[in-house]
Amino acid sequence: MYMYAEISIPILVFIRNGLIYDRNKSEEYGGNFVSKERNNRNFKLKNTNIGKGQAKSKSAKSSKPKANRRPQRPTKPSVKVSFLGGLNEIGKNITLIECEGDMIIIDCGMAFPDGDMLGVDLVIPDFTYIEQNFDKVKGIVLTHGHEDHIGGLPYLLSLVNIPIYGTPLTLGLVGNKLKEHSLFNKAKLNVVNAGDTIRLGCMEVKFIHVNHSIPDAVAFAIRTPAGTLVHTGDFKIDCTPILGDAIDFSSFAQAGDEGVLALLAESTNASRPGFTRTERLVSDSLNMLFNNAANYRIIIATFASNVNRVQQIIDCAAKYGRKVAFSGRSMVNYMDVAKKLGYLNVPDNILIDLDMLDKYPREQIVLVTTGSQGEPMSALSRMAYSDHRKVVVGEGDFIIISANPIPGNEKTVGNVVDELLKRGCKVIYESMYDVHVSGHACQEELKIIHRLVRPKFFIPVHGEQKHLRKHADLAEFLGMERKNIFIGDVGSTVEINEDYMKEIAPVPAGKVFVDGLGVGDVGSIVLRDRKHLGQDGLIIIVASLDVYDGHVISGPDVVSRGFVYVRESEQLLEEVRKLALDILEDCADNNIHEWGIIKNRIKDEISKLIAQRTRRAPMILPILQEV
């Protein structure tokens, strides 16, 4: 329970829902709301809240000695929380809750590859532990429809078929994704609305409405035999959201009043002071920019999943008499689902197909596209580099990038902006105007949730180490003891009981790389080789050997790829060829016929020669065949 270390309030008695809460007696009554009359039927004192000074009923009598009158507190089981992703990284969010032999999974996301993951399309969690405990898993509950929370589902469901529970828009997006992987007909999708409670094994999960950059986002209050866990998902506090209601404070407060064993809260903006700005601010900026771009074609790049932002763009387009077209496969898919489910209000005759752009004057067009992060294959990037089949940009275009660069993407976004400027486009990005606000809670919003929930233990989630540490510091500043805060890593497992929280043996976890249709067949060794090839190139040495005595029949031939320009390095390559020939003949003369030994000698000797001549270290690949 939190200490009131920061705020001093002189009024010590609060009245709420007909109940009186006396903070001076919070220790005596366990900090719960109590009725005005002790004998009121609504007045409940649970054994778990009985303190040393708790009042006893006058009618309660016992013949036992005084020392034995106090009843023993019933022992509650423990709950285990394991993290297969989402800690010390951005994305790939997935958390396991396990209690009394039952397990539920919160989210199943993916992450985009880092710059050193050459050729990798995306990164998903290692599902080994889930496969090993498939019989325990009662279901997957989803917080919202962003890729970092649902992107790994097709790969998990291809291994094990687990029921999925989510809000309508979230499951609509999941369904589209499963259709692409031919898994939709087998999937068990269960629609749950915010405010509903479902039972999964021994646990009850209440879906709590929150605000985020995508509609239908929820947090969870998970009631287990060990106690209640609250998981916020991604959220912010927006009192004037574009779509739907404000965050459901009452459900968080109710969980806090009933008692919360542990809080798991997102940490993405834990280092940012103040409050996250409302999405309404973007509407004002867009109105101003649409007015300034009266003689331009407007192109806006944003996240495909930001349905609220697209709704604002459509509203502005309707106000200024413009048609709207979508570009980018993910943008088209997201908007199609949002429109069908009623989360996107589109006036009649405002949407046009991308092929119809030439049928209208440029100043009557708004093109909404993907590519706000500078992704090489995105629609905006292809426009910038004149590689788009249907859209050519130039001096008559007013381009708005309505998103913040994800950490690590700043350079690629900057490159796209530069290319657009070279083509004469007018480019507006976040640092210039209020064309984007975050969907994640800043420090003051996190404080509000902590105060409402008042957990006994706290685990910061969803962020890199700096984010998790900053969130832990915030909880400590609010009065929580550091020993009650756990900062984990991918694979970490923590056991939580009403009396303690401790880290236990980790579970199998890590990164699985998806490259094309291959899942998991690209590992650290393959990436190392790719990096080696990309940095220093490759030399292939091909020779045919006599099957009887091992002497060279033809070759060796030397092929260089990505190492040196052959026509300017003929002397070096001839030295390599002669050295390879000498090694092969020496091995034959000394009756060395094991190809492993021969190839290693070729690699070692040629590597030394090239290092002496060029100070480079290309990959050496000998290819030998017997004739």
Side-chain angles (χ1 to χ4, degrees):
M1 193 68 67
Y2 279 90
M3 296 171 58
Y4 290 83
E6 182 183 6
I7 303 174
S8 176
I9 302 178
I11 301 176
L12 300 179
V13 179
F14 299 84
I15 299 178
R16 177 174 171 181
N17 296 331
L19 303 180
I20 296 179
Y21 175 68
D22 189 343
R23 185 176 295 169
N24 290 331
K25 297 182 180 181
S26 61
E27 180 179 355
E28 180 178 357
Y29 299 119
N32 291 327
F33 289 90
V34 299
S35 69
K36 299 176 182 178
E37 299 180 8
R38 291 290 181 84
N39 59 356
N40 189 296
R41 64 180 179 177
N42 293 323
F43 174 62
K44 297 180 180 179
L45 287 177
K46 299 181 180 179
N47 288 337
T48 53
N49 289 329
I50 293 178
K52 291 182 179 180
Q54 179 162 334
K56 302 180 181 66
S57 172
K58 294 180 180 180
S59 61
K61 296 181 181 180
S62 174
S63 59
K64 294 183 179 180
K66 187 175 182 179
N68 295 329
R69 285 182 181 176
R70 184 179 178 182
Q72 295 294 321
R73 184 177 64 180
T75 302
K76 289 186 177 181
S78 298
V79 60
K80 291 199 306 183
V81 183
S82 303
F83 301 95
L84 301 188
L87 300 184
N88 294 309
E89 60 185 359
I90 299 296
K92 200 161 66 67
N93 299 292
I94 177 170
T95 304
L96 312 182
I97 310 294
E98 188 175 356
C99 188
E100 292 194 329
D102 293 332
M103 181 188 298
I104 63 173
I105 302 170
I106 300 175
D107 291 335
C108 183
M110 48 76 72
F112 292 107
D114 297 331
D116 57 351
M117 298 178 186
L118 303 174
V120 174
D121 296 323
L122 54 93
V123 184
I124 61 175
D126 183 346
F127 299 125
T128 301
Y129 186 70
I130 297 176
E131 290 184 86
Q132 293 173 348
N133 295 273
F134 170 61
D135 58 323
K136 297 181 180 180
V137 180
K138 303 304 177 184
I140 304 172
V141 291
L142 303 175
T143 58
H144 62 283
H146 280 157
E147 289 292 319
D148 57 334
H149 293 260
I150 67 171
L153 280 173
Y155 304 96
L156 175 59
L157 296 185
S158 66
L159 301 173
V160 290
N161 194 3
I162 302 171
I164 301 173
Y165 301 85
T167 50
L169 178 61
T170 301
L171 290 191
L173 298 173
V174 168
N176 256 10
K177 187 172 293 295
L178 295 181
K179 288 176 183 176
E180 294 178 3
H181 290 77
S182 301
L183 294 170
F184 181 76
N185 292 332
K186 299 178 182 178
K188 305 170 185 176
L189 303 180
N190 302 276
V191 175
V192 183
N193 292 306
D196 292 345
T197 299
I198 61 173
R199 186 165 190 87
L200 299 174
C202 66
M203 292 174 268
E204 288 185 353
V205 182
K206 181 176 181 179
F207 285 57
I208 303 174
H209 172 71
V210 297
N211 303 126
H212 190 39
S213 56
I214 185 172
D216 258 4
V218 292
F220 299 125
I222 306 169
R223 295 180 175 88
T224 77
T228 299
L229 279 63
V230 172
H231 191 296
T232 66
D234 288 351
F235 81 100
K236 71 174 182 179
I237 296 175
D238 192 342
C239 295
T240 56
I242 297 297
L243 182 66
D245 299 325
I247 187 172
D248 183 3
F249 285 126
S250 61
S251 290
F252 284 104
Q254 179 184 4
D257 293 343
E258 294 172 354
V260 172
L261 182 64
L263 169 66
L264 288 72
E266 74 134 319
S267 310
T268 309
N269 278 351
S271 59
R272 295 187 181 183
F275 291 86
T276 301
R277 295 179 298 175
T278 176
E279 188 72 24
R280 295 284 178 183
L281 186 66
V282 178
S283 292
D284 298 336
S285 294
L286 287 176
N287 267 296
M288 179 194 68
L289 293 172
F290 269 65
N291 185 58
N292 294 341
N295 299 320
Y296 292 86
R297 176 174 65 177
I298 298 176
I299 300 175
I300 304 180
T302 188
F303 292 112
S305 60
N306 199 334
V307 179
N308 292 338
R309 189 70 44 79
V310 176
Q311 181 66 66
Q312 292 171 289
I313 294 169
I314 291 175
D315 292 342
C316 279
K319 178 180 178 180
Y320 289 91
R322 290 176 179 259
K323 301 293 184 181
V324 178
F326 296 128
S327 178
R329 185 172 61 88
S330 59
M331 178 68 71
V332 173
N333 289 341
Y334 268 77
M335 293 309 110
D336 184 55
V337 172
K339 185 180 177 183
K340 287 180 179 177
L341 294 175
Y343 291 90
L344 195 65
N345 180 24
V346 182
D348 294 337
N349 301 320
I350 195 172
L351 289 183
I352 62 172
D353 191 82
L354 198 62
D355 294 323
M356 299 292 292
L357 291 182
D358 294 336
K359 305 295 183 181
Y360 296 88
R362 297 175 70 88
E363 61 271 14
Q364 293 183 12
I365 295 294
V366 177
L367 178 59
V368 186
T369 180
T370 56
S372 62
Q373 298 303 306
E375 306 96 314
M377 298 304 294
S378 67
L380 185 64
S381 292
R382 286 186 279 126
M383 294 176 199
Y385 291 96
S386 299
D387 194 31
H388 199 288
R389 291 180 296 175
K390 298 181 179 181
V391 182
V392 178
V393 297
E395 293 184 358
D397 289 312
F398 191 94
I399 299 178
I400 303 170
I401 300 179
S402 182
N404 276 336
I406 294 173
N409 288 353
E410 295 86 355
K411 182 64 176 177
T412 55
V413 174
N415 290 340
V416 170
V417 171
D418 287 343
E419 289 298 321
L420 293 170
L421 291 172
K422 289 177 184 177
R423 301 190 182 283
C425 304
K426 184 174 179 62
V427 184
I428 305 297
Y429 46 93
E430 188 271 337
S431 60
M432 299 171 63
Y433 296 94
D434 293 322
V435 293
H436 178 70
V437 295
S438 176
H440 301 273
C442 292
Q443 289 181 357
E444 296 305 315
E445 295 155 278
L446 295 174
K447 289 179 183 178
I448 290 173
I449 294 299
H450 279 261
R451 290 298 197 195
L452 287 173
V453 173
R454 306 189 303 278
K456 186 170 186 178
F457 302 106
F458 171 58
I459 305 175
V461 295
H462 299 182
E464 298 171 342
Q465 183 70 198
K466 59 180 176 290
H467 304 127
L468 305 180
R469 293 280 175 184
K470 199 69 177 180
H471 203 171
D473 292 341
L474 183 68
E476 191 174 10
F477 174 74
L478 291 173
M480 177 169 280
E481 296 184 52
R482 195 73 183 195
K483 66 179 183 179
N484 291 339
I485 303 171
F486 175 75
I487 298 177
D489 199 354
V490 174
S492 294
T493 299
V494 61
E495 180 182 330
I496 309 175
N497 188 277
E498 59 183 350
D499 296 320
Y500 62 82
M501 176 173 64
K502 65 180 181 180
E503 185 174 8
I504 58 178
V507 300
K511 298 177 180 178
V512 175
F513 302 126
V514 178
D515 186 356
L517 296 177
V519 180
D521 54 353
V522 174
S524 57
I525 296 176
V526 174
L527 290 180
R528 182 196 64 191
D529 289 345
R530 289 181 179 180
K531 187 176 182 180
H532 192 178
L533 288 168
Q535 291 177 338
D536 300 301
L538 170 69
I539 290 180
I540 304 173
I541 298 169
V542 184
S544 298
L545 308 181
D546 190 298
V547 69
Y548 298 106
D549 58 19
H551 285 283
V552 177
I553 295 177
S554 66
D557 297 322
V558 180
V559 180
S560 170
R561 290 292 181 268
F563 170 55
V564 290
Y565 184 49
V566 175
R567 293 184 180 179
E568 296 179 357
S569 306
E570 292 180 355
Q571 182 178 350
L572 174 61
L573 296 181
E574 180 61 23
E575 289 185 56
V576 170
R577 192 192 72 80
K578 288 182 179 179
L579 178 57
L581 178 61
D582 292 342
I583 295 170
L584 291 171
E585 291 296 333
D586 183 68
C587 289
D589 292 340
N590 289 281
N591 293 319
I592 299 175
H593 301 294
E594 295 183 19
W595 282 18
I597 297 175
I598 298 173
K599 289 182 178 182
N600 285 334
R601 281 195 58 183
I602 292 174
K603 290 179 183 178
D604 293 342
E605 296 297 327
I606 291 179
S607 294
K608 291 178 183 178
L609 172 65
I610 292 175
Q612 291 173 357
R613 297 286 191 273
T614 66
R615 293 289 187 263
R616 299 179 191 172
M619 181 179 291
I620 311 297
L621 181 61
I623 299 178
L624 306 178
Q625 59 181 353
E626 290 183 332
V627 179

